[in-house]
Coordinates of all heavy atoms in Angstrom, one line a residue:
P90 N 0.8 -21.4 -27.9 CA 1.5 -21.8 -29.1 C 2.7 -20.9 -29.4 O 2.8 -19.8 -28.8 CB 0.5 -21.6 -30.2 CG -0.6 -20.7 -29.7 CD -0.5 -20.9 -28.2
G91 N 3.5 -21.3 -30.3 CA 4.6 -20.5 -30.7 C 5.7 -20.2 -29.7 O 6.5 -19.2 -29.8
G92 N 5.8 -21.0 -28.6 CA 6.9 -20.8 -27.6 C 6.6 -19.7 -26.6 O 7.4 -19.4 -25.8
K93 N 5.4 -19.1 -26.7 CA 5.1 -18.1 -25.7 C 4.8 -18.7 -24.4 O 4.4 -19.9 -24.3 CB 3.9 -17.3 -26.1 CG 4.1 -16.1 -27.0 CD 2.9 -15.2 -27.1 CE 3.4 -13.9 -26.4 NZ 2.5 -12.8 -26.7
R94 N 5.0 -18.0 -23.3 CA 4.9 -18.5 -22.0 C 3.7 -17.8 -21.3 O 3.5 -16.6 -21.5 CB 6.1 -18.3 -21.2 CG 7.3 -19.0 -21.7 CD 8.5 -18.7 -20.9 NE 9.7 -19.3 -21.5 CZ 10.9 -19.3 -21.1 NH1 11.1 -18.7 -19.9 NH2 11.9 -19.9 -21.7
W95 N 3.0 -18.5 -20.4 CA 2.1 -17.9 -19.5 C 2.9 -17.1 -18.5 O 3.8 -17.6 -17.9 CB 1.2 -18.9 -18.8 CG 0.2 -19.6 -19.6 CD1 0.3 -20.9 -20.1 CD2 -1.0 -19.1 -20.1 NE1 -0.8 -21.2 -20.8 CE2 -1.7 -20.2 -20.9 CE3 -1.6 -17.9 -20.0 CZ2 -2.9 -20.0 -21.5 CZ3 -2.9 -17.7 -20.7 CH2 -3.5 -18.8 -21.4
L96 N 2.5 -15.8 -18.3 CA 3.2 -15.0 -17.4 C 2.3 -14.9 -16.1 O 1.2 -14.4 -16.3 CB 3.5 -13.6 -17.9 CG 4.3 -13.6 -19.2 CD1 4.4 -12.2 -19.8 CD2 5.7 -14.2 -19.0
V97 N 2.7 -15.4 -15.0 CA 1.8 -15.4 -13.8 C 2.4 -14.7 -12.6 O 3.6 -14.7 -12.4 CB 1.4 -16.9 -13.5 CG1 0.8 -17.6 -14.7 CG2 2.5 -17.6 -13.0
W98 N 1.5 -14.2 -11.8 CA 1.7 -13.6 -10.5 C 1.0 -14.6 -9.5 O -0.1 -15.0 -9.7 CB 1.2 -12.3 -10.4 CG 1.8 -11.2 -11.2 CD1 1.6 -11.1 -12.6 CD2 2.7 -10.2 -10.9 NE1 2.3 -10.0 -13.1 CE2 3.0 -9.5 -12.1 CE3 3.2 -9.8 -9.7 CZ2 3.9 -8.4 -12.1 CZ3 4.1 -8.7 -9.7 CH2 4.4 -8.0 -10.8
L99 N 1.7 -14.8 -8.4 CA 1.1 -15.6 -7.3 C 0.2 -14.6 -6.5 O 0.6 -13.6 -6.1 CB 2.1 -16.2 -6.4 CG 1.6 -16.9 -5.1 CD1 0.7 -18.1 -5.5 CD2 2.7 -17.4 -4.3
K100 N -1.1 -14.9 -6.5 CA -2.0 -14.0 -5.8 C -2.1 -14.4 -4.3 O -2.5 -15.5 -3.9 CB -3.4 -14.2 -6.4 CG -4.5 -13.5 -5.7 CD -4.4 -12.0 -5.7 CE -5.7 -11.3 -5.2 NZ -5.5 -10.9 -3.7
L101 N -1.6 -13.4 -3.5 CA -1.7 -13.6 -2.0 C -2.9 -12.9 -1.4 O -3.3 -11.8 -1.9 CB -0.4 -13.0 -1.4 CG 0.9 -13.6 -1.8 CD1 2.1 -12.8 -1.2 CD2 0.9 -15.1 -1.4
D102 N -3.5 -13.5 -0.5 CA -4.7 -12.9 0.3 C -4.1 -12.4 1.6 O -3.8 -13.2 2.5 CB -5.8 -14.0 0.5 CG -6.9 -13.4 1.3 OD1 -6.9 -12.2 1.7 OD2 -7.8 -14.2 1.6
C103 N -3.9 -11.1 1.7 CA -3.4 -10.5 2.9 C -4.5 -9.9 3.8 O -4.2 -8.9 4.5 CB -2.3 -9.4 2.5 SG -0.9 -10.2 1.7
G104 N -5.7 -10.4 3.7 CA -6.8 -9.9 4.5 C -8.1 -9.5 3.8 O -9.1 -9.3 4.4
N105 N -8.0 -9.5 2.4 CA -9.1 -9.1 1.7 C -10.2 -10.2 1.7 O -11.4 -10.0 1.7 CB -8.7 -8.8 0.2 CG -9.8 -8.2 -0.6 OD1 -10.7 -7.6 -0.1 ND2 -9.7 -8.3 -1.9
G106 N -9.7 -11.5 1.7 CA -10.6 -12.6 1.7 C -11.4 -12.9 0.5 O -12.3 -13.7 0.5
R107 N -11.1 -12.3 -0.7 CA -11.8 -12.5 -1.9 C -11.1 -13.5 -2.8 O -11.8 -14.4 -3.3 CB -11.9 -11.2 -2.6 CG -12.8 -11.2 -3.8 CD -13.1 -9.8 -4.3 NE -12.9 -9.9 -5.8 CZ -12.7 -8.9 -6.5 NH1 -12.4 -7.8 -6.0 NH2 -12.6 -9.1 -7.8
A108 N -9.8 -13.4 -2.9 CA -9.1 -14.4 -3.7 C -7.7 -14.5 -3.2 O -7.2 -13.6 -2.6 CB -9.1 -13.9 -5.2
G109 N -7.0 -15.5 -3.6 CA -5.6 -15.7 -3.2 C -5.4 -16.7 -2.2 O -6.3 -17.3 -1.5
I110 N -4.1 -16.9 -1.9 CA -3.7 -17.9 -0.8 C -3.0 -17.1 0.3 O -2.3 -16.1 0.0 CB -2.8 -18.9 -1.4 CG1 -2.5 -20.0 -0.4 CG2 -1.6 -18.4 -2.0 CD1 -1.9 -21.3 -1.0
R111 N -3.3 -17.4 1.5 CA -2.7 -16.6 2.6 C -1.2 -16.8 2.6 O -0.7 -17.9 2.5 CB -3.3 -17.1 4.0 CG -4.8 -16.9 4.1 CD -5.2 -15.5 4.3 NE -4.7 -15.0 5.6 CZ -4.8 -13.8 6.0 NH1 -5.5 -12.9 5.2 NH2 -4.3 -13.4 7.1
P112 N -0.5 -15.7 2.8 CA 1.0 -15.8 2.7 C 1.6 -16.6 3.9 O 2.7 -17.1 3.8 CB 1.5 -14.3 2.8 CG 0.3 -13.6 3.3 CD -0.9 -14.3 2.9
T113 N 0.8 -16.8 4.9 CA 1.3 -17.6 6.1 C 1.0 -19.1 5.9 O 1.4 -19.9 6.6 CB 0.7 -17.1 7.4 OG1 -0.8 -17.1 7.2 CG2 1.2 -15.7 7.7
D114 N 0.2 -19.4 4.9 CA -0.2 -20.8 4.5 C 1.1 -21.5 4.0 O 1.6 -21.0 3.0 CB -1.3 -20.9 3.6 CG -1.9 -22.2 3.3 OD1 -1.1 -23.2 3.4 OD2 -3.0 -22.3 2.9
P115 N 1.5 -22.6 4.6 CA 2.7 -23.3 4.0 C 2.5 -23.7 2.5 O 3.4 -23.8 1.8 CB 2.8 -24.5 4.9 CG 2.1 -24.2 6.2 CD 1.0 -23.3 5.8
A116 N 1.2 -23.9 2.1 CA 0.9 -24.2 0.7 C 1.3 -23.1 -0.2 O 1.6 -23.3 -1.4 CB -0.5 -24.6 0.6
A117 N 1.4 -21.9 0.3 CA 1.7 -20.7 -0.5 C 3.1 -20.7 -1.1 O 3.4 -20.5 -2.2 CB 1.4 -19.4 0.2
L118 N 4.0 -21.0 -0.2 CA 5.4 -21.2 -0.5 C 5.6 -22.4 -1.5 O 6.4 -22.2 -2.5 CB 6.3 -21.3 0.7 CG 7.8 -21.1 0.5 CD1 8.1 -19.8 -0.2 CD2 8.5 -21.2 1.8
A119 N 5.0 -23.5 -1.2 CA 5.0 -24.6 -2.1 C 4.5 -24.2 -3.5 O 5.1 -24.7 -4.5 CB 4.2 -25.8 -1.5
L120 N 3.4 -23.5 -3.5 CA 2.8 -23.1 -4.9 C 3.8 -22.2 -5.6 O 4.0 -22.3 -6.8 CB 1.5 -22.4 -4.6 CG 0.8 -22.0 -5.9 CD1 0.6 -23.1 -6.9 CD2 -0.6 -21.3 -5.5
A121 N 4.4 -21.3 -4.9 CA 5.3 -20.4 -5.6 C 6.5 -21.1 -6.1 O 6.9 -20.9 -7.3 CB 5.9 -19.3 -4.5
R122 N 7.0 -22.1 -5.4 CA 8.1 -23.0 -5.9 C 7.6 -23.8 -7.1 O 8.4 -23.9 -8.1 CB 8.6 -23.9 -4.8 CG 9.4 -23.1 -3.8 CD 10.1 -24.1 -2.7 NE 10.9 -23.3 -1.9 CZ 10.9 -23.3 -0.5 NH1 10.0 -24.1 0.0 NH2 11.6 -22.6 0.2
S123 N 6.4 -24.3 -7.0 CA 5.9 -25.1 -8.1 C 5.7 -24.3 -9.4 O 6.0 -24.7 -10.5 CB 4.5 -25.7 -7.8 OG 4.7 -26.6 -6.8
I124 N 5.3 -23.0 -9.2 CA 5.2 -22.1 -10.4 C 6.6 -21.9 -11.0 O 6.8 -22.0 -12.2 CB 4.5 -20.8 -10.0 CG1 3.1 -21.0 -9.6 CG2 4.5 -19.8 -11.2 CD1 2.5 -19.8 -8.9
A125 N 7.5 -21.5 -10.1 CA 8.9 -21.2 -10.6 C 9.6 -22.3 -11.2 O 10.4 -22.2 -12.1 CB 9.7 -20.6 -9.4
R126 N 9.4 -23.5 -10.7 CA 10.2 -24.7 -11.0 C 9.5 -25.7 -11.9 O 10.1 -26.6 -12.5 CB 10.8 -25.4 -9.8 CG 11.7 -24.5 -9.0 CD 12.1 -25.2 -7.7 NE 12.9 -24.4 -6.8 CZ 13.1 -24.6 -5.6 NH1 12.5 -25.7 -5.0 NH2 13.8 -23.8 -4.9
G127 N 8.2 -25.6 -11.9 CA 7.3 -26.7 -12.5 C 7.6 -26.9 -14.0 O 7.9 -28.0 -14.4
A128 N 7.4 -25.9 -14.8 CA 7.5 -26.0 -16.2 C 7.8 -24.6 -16.8 O 7.0 -23.9 -17.4 CB 6.2 -26.5 -16.9
P129 N 9.0 -24.1 -16.5 CA 9.4 -22.7 -16.9 C 9.3 -22.4 -18.3 O 9.1 -21.2 -18.7 CB 10.7 -22.5 -16.3 CG 11.3 -23.9 -16.1 CD 10.1 -24.8 -15.9
E130 N 9.3 -23.4 -19.1 CA 9.1 -23.2 -20.6 C 7.7 -22.9 -21.0 O 7.4 -22.5 -22.1 CB 9.7 -24.3 -21.4 CG 9.0 -25.6 -21.3 CD 9.2 -26.4 -20.0 OE1 10.0 -26.0 -19.1 OE2 8.5 -27.4 -19.8
V131 N 6.8 -23.2 -20.0 CA 5.3 -23.0 -20.3 C 4.7 -21.9 -19.4 O 4.0 -21.1 -19.8 CB 4.6 -24.3 -20.0 CG1 3.0 -24.1 -20.2 CG2 5.1 -25.4 -20.9
V132 N 5.2 -21.9 -18.2 CA 4.6 -20.9 -17.2 C 5.8 -20.2 -16.4 O 6.7 -20.8 -15.9 CB 3.8 -21.6 -16.1 CG1 3.3 -20.6 -15.1 CG2 2.6 -22.3 -16.7

């Protein structure tokens, strides 16, 4: 509410295997673009 935005970091899994998306996965770049371009007034 109130015009605040969700502030997010894209979580990369660089070998830990616990959480995140592998940086070599093509979906990772697509997700980064979706976050940046999807709804910047919200996220």
